[in-house]
């Protein structure tokens, strides 16, 4: 327990350091944006003198390190800046859009995990037999097809040819839970398929490796029920998939940018698209930083889950 707490605290303590690094990277990259904040704020009718006064008042002429410290100070107070006119706090726009992206990501994650376990365990238990060959074909096909193409195919088949689900739009779960599930089903499946396919191969490989270990043969020879043996094998085999799963959440978040555009969902993806097309540096910067921080947090959580799932990795 002491070793676990030490390792857990070490990983949690690294999170603020990584967040600061990501904040610095996002800030520096956005400084190369061709968008002119003064032009966006004042409009094309503003005089050069007015733009210069705006730049001076907002610290746009300060050296890069000074601007970064100012940005960091605002960030620590939850201030991500304001959007271009009509001016709105970026934090408010993100607070409105992020819950939808989180819903889509979590639903896609649940579907991906269920499919990956189903395919991976089936392939491992029926190694080199026809169920294994079938799951292998399904997994390879899923990895080869990008999520946006899966989304287009699902819209064509399940929304247009056979109208079982809506082709786009969003329904608030508080207003209509059934309508929300219908509106999120196709986008979530689109996100989940490539992730589930890649995880299924990892689950299958890890389980096969565990099934060949001596402790499995010993447990089986001693008459332990097969279900008990399989549960132990599955727990030990989940170390690698759990580690990779944290990285795949980043894939789900980034994939949501495209999927939300395809299904017309007002989430973070649509927010970033609006910021890029409108030259809104503060909006893009805040949205990208939010996604990056969530990605880092999920990776730390996945590391902690690995420590809980398998004590063998608790080495200092």
């Amino acid at each position: 327990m002491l070793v676990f707490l030490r390792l857990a605290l070490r990983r949690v303590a690294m999170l603020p350091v990584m967040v600061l690094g990501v904040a610095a990277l996002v800030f520096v990259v956005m400084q190369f944006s061709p968008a002119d904040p003064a032009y966006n704020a004042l409009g094309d009718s503003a005089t050069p003198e007015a733009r210069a006064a705006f730049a001076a008042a907002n610290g746009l002429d300060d050296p890069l390190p000074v601007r970064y410290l100012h940005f960091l100070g605002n960030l620590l107070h939850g201030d991500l800046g304001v959007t271009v006119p009509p001016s709105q706090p970026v934090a408010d726009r993100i607070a409105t859009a992020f819950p939808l992206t989180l819903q889509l990501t979590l639903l896609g994650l649940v579907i991906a995990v269920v499919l990956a376990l189903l395919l991976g365990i089936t392939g491992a238990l029926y190694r080199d037999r026809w169920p294994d060959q079938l799951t292998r074909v399904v997994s390879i096909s899923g990895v080869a097809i990008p999520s946006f193409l899966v989304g287009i195919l699902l819209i064509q088949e399940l929304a247009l040819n056979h109208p079982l689900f809506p082709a786009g739009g969003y329904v608030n779960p508080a207003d209509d839970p059934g309508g929300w599930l219908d509106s999120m089903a196709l986008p979530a499946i689109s996100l989940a398929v490539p992730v589930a396919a890649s995880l299924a191969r990892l689950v299958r490989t890890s389980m096969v490796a565990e099934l060949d270990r001596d402790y499995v043969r010993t447990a089986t020879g001693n008459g332990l029920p097969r279900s008990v043996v399989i549960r132990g094998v599955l727990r030990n085999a989940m170390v690698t998939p759990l580690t990779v799963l944290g990285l795949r959440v980043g894939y789900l978040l980034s994939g949501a940018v495209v999927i939300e555009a395809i299904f017309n969902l007002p989430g973070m993806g649509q927010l970033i698209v609006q910021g890029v097309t409108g030259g809104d540096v503060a909006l893009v910067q805040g949205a990208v930083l939010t996604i990056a921080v969530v990605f880092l947090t999920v990776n730390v959580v996945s590391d902690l889950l690995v420590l809980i799932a398998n004590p063998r990795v608790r080495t200092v």
Side-chain angles (χ1 to χ4, degrees), residues 26 30-31 33 35 37 40 71 79-84 88-91 94 271 275 279-290:
V26 171
M30 292 307 300
Q31 300 311 302
S33 170
N40 291 333
F71 164 75
D79 183 6
L80 295 173
V82 295
T83 64
V84 298
Q88 292 179 288
V90 171
I94 292 175
L271 204 66
D280 196 332
V281 175
L283 184 59
V284 176
Q285 186 172 260
V288 172
L289 182 60
T290 300

Side-chain angles (χ1 to χ4, degrees), residues 118-190:
L118 179 63
L119 294 172
I121 294 174
T122 301
L125 296 181
Y126 295 92
R127 181 178 10 172
D128 297 330
R129 294 153 66 182
W130 72 263
D132 185 24
Q133 302 300 331
L134 179 60
T135 58
R136 185 175 303 176
V137 171
V138 172
S139 298
I140 294 175
S141 301
V143 171
I145 303 177
S147 59
F148 72 88
L149 182 55
V150 175
I152 294 174
L153 294 175
L154 289 177
I155 290 175
Q156 182 65 38
E157 291 300 321
L158 299 181
L160 300 180
N161 295 344
H162 305 87
L164 300 176
F165 298 96
Y170 175 70
V171 177
N172 194 309
D175 299 331
D176 183 4
W180 170 82
L181 189 58
D182 285 343
S183 68
M184 299 292 282
L186 296 187
I189 294 173
S190 303

Side-chain angles (χ1 to χ4, degrees), residues 9-65:
L9 289 175
R10 181 183 301 174
R11 282 160 172 77
V12 172
M14 284 298 297
L15 183 59
V17 178
M18 293 187 290
V19 170
L20 287 176
V22 168
L25 179 62
V26 171
F27 177 81
V28 171
V29 170
M30 292 307 300
Q31 300 311 302
F32 293 97
S33 170
D36 182 1
Y39 176 85
N40 291 333
L42 301 177
D44 54 6
S45 60
T47 63
E49 291 77 11
R51 294 180 186 176
F54 177 88
N58 290 273
L60 301 179
D61 296 330
D62 294 337
L64 184 62

Side-chain angles (χ1 to χ4, degrees), residues 66-90:
V66 175
R67 279 182 284 155
Y68 174 67
L69 291 177
H70 180 70
F71 164 75
L72 200 59
N74 291 337
L75 183 63
L76 293 175
H77 290 87
D79 183 6
L80 295 173
V82 295
T83 64
V84 298
S87 298
Q88 292 179 288
V90 171

Side-chain angles (χ1 to χ4, degrees), residues 231-288:
R231 282 201 298 269
V233 168
L234 184 61
R235 177 178 178 179
N236 293 332
M238 285 300 101
V239 176
T240 301
L242 275 176
T243 304
V244 175
L245 183 62
L247 299 176
R248 290 296 184 267
V249 173
Y251 174 89
L252 291 172
L253 285 170
S254 61
V257 174
V258 179
I259 294 300
E260 288 172 0
I262 293 175
F263 288 92
N264 192 29
L265 298 174
M268 294 292 286
Q270 196 173 96
L271 204 66
I272 293 175
V273 171
Q274 291 175 359
V276 171
T277 56
D280 196 332
V281 175
L283 184 59
V284 176
Q285 186 172 260
V288 172

